[in-house]
Amino acid sequence: MELKVYTRALMVMIIMLISSLGFAAGPWFVGPGGIDGAGHGLSAGDPFATIQYAIGAATEGDVINLAAGTYVEVGQIVIDKSLSFIGADKTTTIIKPAGNTGSSVDTRGWFLVNAGKEFNLSNVTLDGDGKLIFMAVLSHGTGTIDNNIVKNMNFSSYLGMGLMMYGGNFTISNNTFSNIGRIGMYANGTGVTNGIFDRNTYTGKGAGDYLDYGIELEAGAVATCTNNTITECKGVASSDSSTSSGMYLSTYFALGTTGTYTNNIITNNSYGITIGYDASDQSTAIIHNNAIYGNTVYGVASTSALASVDANCNWWGTTTPSAIDAMISGSVTHDTFLGNGIDGSTATGFQPASPCPYPADACLTIPSYNALVTPGTSWTAYPSQSIVSNGCFIFKVNLTIGQEYTFKTGCDDGATANFDTFIELYDADGNWLDQNDDGCAPYQSTVTWTATETVAFVKVRGYNALSFGAFTMAYKSNAPVIVTANCKTAPDFDY
């Protein structure tokens, strides 16, 4: 009996000793007025005072909660275990460095994530104001960095970075960047096989002796950039005339760099997207359904014929082919383009209201179609669309049997075309019904037809392979023709 009592007492003493040494499991809490020491940090009411101490107390996979307040952290913040940091609010939970970072290798990182570790960060502001910060985060690991503010990261002329990913796969999403010395977001190395940059906003420093690159991919990294907004990357370095670009990728350091860019807004920069450092570059860039306009030098520029750059189906701020060509430099495929810049969603980024049928054929096969319309009794002009050589645009039309309808690409009422159009009418089974070439001068088309069924298809194409460009089709249902009867009254008769 005495042995059992002593054993129980010893176990209690061991538990109390472990607790007093701070080995309790998280989650952990950090807040203003907290105390760094054993026995604290386990509740919002009794938090640690510093993030550094919380990291030391935490174990692999723990969560560290940060209350609203400003944390001035001393020294490099090393993430040597997988941890998640969650702030109370990104506008009120502010982390600042007490000193400068180093200038070489891993000392460049204010936050340093070790290889094989997962670093998750959300709902905070990283503010390097007043200090020389080479990189806000230098990661050799993985993780998700979501819904943060990253600002004032400057080290020296043309240096200062935001979130720099050198390790495995990651997600960087919903973050806002401003006053960054050079690069906002970065992926480097063949270890990055599925990097994700989604719904971030990068605002450059504008024109001046600066450099800005919102998102940069290098050295064999493979990443997807979606729903981001990149603006004001306009600076030119006086030292070597380097020019800013909203997005940039290259194989200068290693082959295999691949970027997929969709639903981004890239505007008001010097260059929108730049592919390659020199003529030997072999990067791959897939660029679809973005709004790329208002960039003062080029929208998309490639330095190398060896690079693979597909920039079909983007909105360039215009549907004039020659104007779009002027926004392209180098070997860039851009045969098809969006006919308007209407955003079909309130979600972050650019979701085209009428995406072009990429990567489908330039001319669909009925019963496939590009747009559905229902004519009314007043003229309606469908938003401007564009077709390429041997391409077409197909409208599916809801009709009332016996009603007369007109479809046209000229003759006023909002109908226009900058090429020689040809309109064809088909029934629901794809059988030809009617057509017109030059019913409207000069070289535009009009078809008037009385419906014999409830659905038909109107195909707008060019007269030949040399006829393509932008058009606006107008359509309406016409007022029925009323025939007045001439009927005698008995006893009068005709025969």
Side-chain angles (χ1 to χ4, degrees):
M1 177 63 99
E2 288 183 3
L3 180 59
K4 291 183 179 180
V5 171
Y6 291 145
T7 301
R8 272 196 220 103
L10 181 59
M11 290 176 63
V12 170
M13 290 176 64
I14 292 172
I15 292 172
M16 291 177 65
L17 177 61
I18 292 174
S19 178
S20 69
L21 292 175
F23 294 141
W28 304 95
F29 296 84
V30 182
I35 300 173
D36 287 342
H40 301 284
L42 290 171
S43 71
D46 183 21
F48 291 135
T50 65
I51 296 169
Q52 291 278 37
Y53 195 90
I55 293 172
T59 58
E60 186 79 11
D62 277 356
V63 174
I64 298 175
N65 298 284
L66 308 175
T70 298
Y71 303 91
V72 180
E73 295 291 319
V74 176
Q76 186 178 50
I77 300 175
V78 179
I79 309 301
D80 57 359
K81 62 199 78 171
S82 295
L83 296 171
S84 296
F85 298 81
I86 304 173
D89 184 280
K90 66 181 178 181
T91 62
T92 59
T93 307
I94 301 167
I95 308 173
K96 304 186 71 171
N100 305 330
T101 68
S103 59
S104 63
V105 200
D106 284 349
T107 67
R108 298 172 297 170
W110 173 23
F111 281 73
L112 174 65
V113 183
N114 287 349
K117 301 305 176 183
E118 181 178 335
F119 174 60
N120 301 315
L121 178 69
S122 61
N123 307 334
V124 306
T125 291
L126 300 181
D127 185 359
D129 188 36
K131 304 301 179 183
L132 302 179
I133 305 300
F134 205 118
M135 301 177 181
V137 175
L138 194 170
S139 176
H140 297 290
T142 62
T144 297
I145 302 178
D146 178 72
N147 194 40
N148 303 287
I149 297 171
V150 183
K151 62 182 183 179
N152 302 321
M153 301 299 167
N154 296 280
F155 189 79
S156 62
S157 296
Y158 320 127
L159 289 177
M161 327 296 192
L163 308 178
M164 313 296 284
M165 306 293 120
Y166 287 85
N169 296 324
F170 58 85
T171 297
I172 295 177
S173 55
N174 297 298
N175 302 288
T176 301
F177 298 80
S178 63
N179 193 26
I180 306 299
R182 188 183 184 98
I183 303 170
M185 294 159 275
Y186 182 78
N188 178 294
T190 56
V192 180
T193 60
N194 185 28
I196 297 174
F197 300 97
D198 183 40
R199 292 165 291 161
N200 300 287
T201 299
Y202 182 94
T203 304
K205 300 178 289 296
D209 187 11
Y210 318 117
L211 286 176
D212 276 294
Y213 303 94
I215 300 176
E216 184 170 327
L217 312 179
E218 285 191 316
V222 178
T224 300
C225 306
T226 57
N227 303 303
N228 302 286
T229 299
I230 312 292
T231 61
E232 293 296 327
C233 298
K234 292 181 175 180
V236 178
S238 62
S239 61
D240 61 0
S241 299
S242 295
T243 305
S244 299
S245 182
M247 297 185 180
Y248 172 79
L249 71 162
S250 85
T251 57
Y252 183 79
F253 295 106
L255 297 177
T257 307
T258 301
T260 300
Y261 305 88
T262 58
N263 306 112
N264 301 288
I265 300 172
I266 307 168
T267 184
N268 207 29
N269 306 288
S270 292
Y271 288 76
I273 302 176
T274 301
I275 300 94
Y277 177 79
D278 56 25
S280 65
D281 198 90
Q282 299 181 46
S283 297
T284 298
I286 303 164
I287 307 167
H288 298 157
N289 291 318
N290 303 279
I292 308 172
Y293 62 93
N295 301 291
T296 57
V297 183
Y298 291 111
V300 175
S302 176
T303 65
S304 171
L306 301 176
S308 174
V309 186
D310 180 350
N312 280 304
C313 289
N314 297 287
W315 171 240
W316 303 95
T318 180
T319 56
T320 302
S322 60
I324 295 173
D325 288 343
M327 299 180 200
I328 306 295
S329 176
S331 180
V332 177
T333 301
H334 59 287
D335 299 318
T336 60
F337 49 87
L338 296 175
N340 62 71
I342 299 173
D343 196 330
S345 171
T346 58
T348 303
F350 174 66
Q351 287 75 35
S354 301
C356 62
Y358 191 87
D361 294 336
C363 188
L364 299 177
T365 301
I366 295 170
S368 297
Y369 60 93
N370 301 100
L372 175 66
V373 298
T374 302
T377 55
S378 299
W379 284 108
T380 298
Y382 193 82
S384 178
Q385 301 297 315
S386 298
I387 60 174
V388 297
S389 178
N390 293 319
C392 74
F393 194 93
I394 297 175
F395 297 87
K396 181 179 180 180
V397 187
N398 292 323
L399 305 166
T400 299
I401 294 175
Q403 180 67 54
E404 183 183 80
Y405 296 89
T406 295
F407 309 92
K408 61 184 184 177
T409 57
C411 301
D412 301 320
D413 301 305
T416 62
N418 62 7
F419 64 100
D420 187 352
T421 62
F422 200 99
I423 292 180
E424 295 173 302
L425 189 68
Y426 295 86
D427 67 14
D429 296 320
N431 299 308
W432 178 89
L433 296 170
D434 202 353
Q435 68 183 46
N436 180 259
D437 180 15
D438 296 332
C440 292
Y443 307 115
Q444 276 76 61
S445 314
T446 181
V447 167
T448 297
W449 176 71
T450 300
T452 57
E453 48 195 280
T454 58
V455 170
F457 293 90
V458 175
K459 177 192 287 187
V460 179
R461 62 175 177 85
Y463 174 73
N464 56 30
L466 299 178
S467 300
F468 57 91
F471 75 93
T472 299
M473 188 182 79
Y475 53 89
K476 66 172 291 214
S477 63
N478 302 319
V481 178
I482 300 175
V483 179
T484 304
N486 183 13
C487 184
K488 291 181 171 58
T489 304
D492 293 339
F493 59 92
D494 295 298
Y495 298 101

